[in-house]
């Protein structure tokens, strides 16, 4: 008679089951740790990129503003946390400067492209206090440079009178807007405008929008510092500034330093 082969099913023993559970736990722990480290690494990289981007935006904003500054108009406050300047909006050449005691206009070459400009007129401000509008002096009251064929007549607004103390060797004059100021307060960077000409830096700055604008946040308090090397007739001026940006999540800090050349054109 032929025999029958009997196969008995065999399951896992308790020891084998425990070993499998332990191995799975080890693998799961390693996997979770790997995913956590990878995620934290991605978050840290993103935070550093965000700080770097914020630092670049701040540096570029300040640099562009100062490149438009009237040479000699840049000044800082005592602790270097604020910088003030007068933006140049137009440059042209005058044909004559009146010599009478109360001039209210002068003739000039028109701007290219038929443009016009309004603001204060500055003639050869080197060695002068550009934050004083006394007559005679380098800075005039508000004036209008109209469009038109040469010559055009630059007229002081409201019938005002002004005499310029010094002539320019190149007969050059600037049309400027009222001063701007950038200051750090706490962790914020603010930009101020439309507050008029003040005797000292940050003396009477606006407290609300729209004349006070937020430029950036997350700065390390007290980290912003401006230093100015004034221009001379032989070289341009240089503004150096440094600041620190801090991550709110990790507390990491990115330090930035920058220099801006202010072109010197008599």
């Amino acid at each position: 008679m032929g025999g029958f082969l009997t196969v008995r099913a065999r399951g896992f023993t308790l020891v084998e089951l425990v070993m499998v559970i332990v191995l799975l736990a080890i693998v799961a722990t390693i996997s979770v740790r790997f995913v956590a480290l990878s995620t934290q690494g991605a978050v840290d990289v993103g935070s550093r990129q965000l700080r770097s981007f914020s630092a670049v935006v701040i540096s570029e904003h300040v640099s562009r503003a100062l490149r438009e500054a009237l040479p000699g108009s840049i000044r800082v406050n005592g602790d270097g946390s604020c910088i003030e300047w007068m933006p140049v909006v137009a440059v042209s050449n005058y044909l004559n400067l009146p010599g009478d005691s109360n001039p209210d206009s002068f003739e000039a070459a028109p701007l290219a492209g038929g443009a016009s400009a309004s603001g204060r007129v500055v003639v050869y401000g080197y060695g002068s206090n550009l934050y004083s509008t006394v007559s005679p002096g380098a800075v005039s009251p508000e004036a209008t440079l109209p469009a038109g064929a040469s010559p055009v007549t630059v007229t002081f607004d409201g019938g005002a009178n002004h005499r310029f103390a010094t002539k320019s060797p190149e007969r050059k004059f600037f049309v400027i807007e009222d001063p701007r100021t950038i200051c750090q307060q706490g962790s914020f960077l603010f930009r101020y405008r439309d507050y008029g000409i003040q005797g000292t830096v940050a003396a009477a700055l606006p407290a609300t929008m729209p004349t006070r604008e937020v430029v950036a946040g997350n700065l390390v308090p007290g980290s912003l510092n401006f230093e100015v090397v004034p221009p001379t007739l032989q070289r341009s001026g240089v503004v150096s500034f440094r600041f620190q940006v801090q991550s709110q999540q990790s507390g990491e800090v990115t330090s930035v330093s920058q220099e801006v050349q202010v072109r010197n054109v008599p």
Side-chain angles (χ1 to χ4, degrees):
M1 289 180 63
F4 293 96
L5 179 62
T6 303
V7 179
R8 297 189 342 179
R10 183 173 180 273
F12 292 107
T13 66
L14 180 60
V15 174
E16 292 172 332
L17 184 59
V18 170
M19 291 179 61
V20 169
I21 294 173
V22 171
L23 291 174
L24 289 175
I26 293 173
V27 172
T29 301
I30 295 174
S31 299
V32 170
R33 182 62 175 168
F34 176 78
V35 171
L37 291 175
S38 300
T39 303
Q40 186 60 47
V43 170
D44 291 342
V45 170
S47 177
R48 294 188 186 101
Q49 290 177 337
L50 183 60
R51 289 199 314 277
S52 298
F53 178 74
S54 178
V56 169
V57 169
I58 295 172
S59 296
E60 190 63 19
H61 182 90
V62 175
S63 298
R64 287 188 178 185
L66 295 180
R67 290 191 188 105
E68 299 175 353
L70 175 70
S73 71
I74 301 175
R75 59 181 186 171
V76 299
N77 63 344
D79 61 4
S81 63
C82 296
I83 189 166
E84 186 176 32
W85 73 97
M86 294 177 172
V88 174
V89 295
V91 182
S92 187
N93 297 95
Y94 60 82
L95 303 183
N96 59 65
L97 287 182
D100 56 326
S101 59
N102 295 306
D104 59 4
S105 64
F106 63 90
E107 292 185 337
L111 298 176
S116 61
S118 297
R120 299 180 185 273
V121 175
V122 179
V123 175
Y124 204 77
Y126 299 96
S128 303
N129 178 11
L130 297 178
Y131 289 86
S132 172
T133 57
V134 297
S135 179
V139 183
S140 80
E142 294 287 336
T144 300
L145 172 59
S150 183
V152 295
T153 301
V154 179
T155 305
F156 301 128
D157 297 347
N161 305 121
H162 186 80
R163 283 198 307 120
F164 295 100
T166 309
K167 295 183 178 181
S168 166
E170 301 296 330
R171 295 192 173 188
K172 187 181 295 295
F173 69 92
F174 299 86
V175 180
I176 63 169
E177 293 181 337
D178 278 351
R180 305 281 192 272
T181 296
I182 288 179
C183 283
Q184 180 183 9
Q185 294 183 5
S187 60
F188 290 94
L189 186 66
F190 293 99
R191 177 170 173 154
Y192 303 87
R193 58 182 175 85
D194 298 338
Y195 54 86
I197 294 180
Q198 306 292 335
T200 57
V201 183
L205 296 177
T208 58
M209 291 286 288
T211 52
R212 185 182 79 162
E213 304 165 325
V214 177
V215 177
N218 297 332
L219 272 70
V220 175
S223 65
L224 180 63
N225 182 263
F226 290 100
E227 295 180 358
V228 178
V229 178
T232 68
L233 294 177
Q234 290 76 34
R235 59 167 174 76
S236 299
V238 176
V239 177
S240 60
F241 60 95
R242 60 182 182 273
F243 60 92
Q244 293 178 318
V245 181
Q246 187 173 32
S247 171
Q248 292 183 332
Q249 290 76 28
S250 64
E252 290 184 329
V253 172
T254 298
S255 300
V256 180
S257 60
Q258 179 84 3
E259 285 190 351
V260 182
Q261 186 180 44
V262 182
R263 296 176 182 176
N264 183 20
V265 184

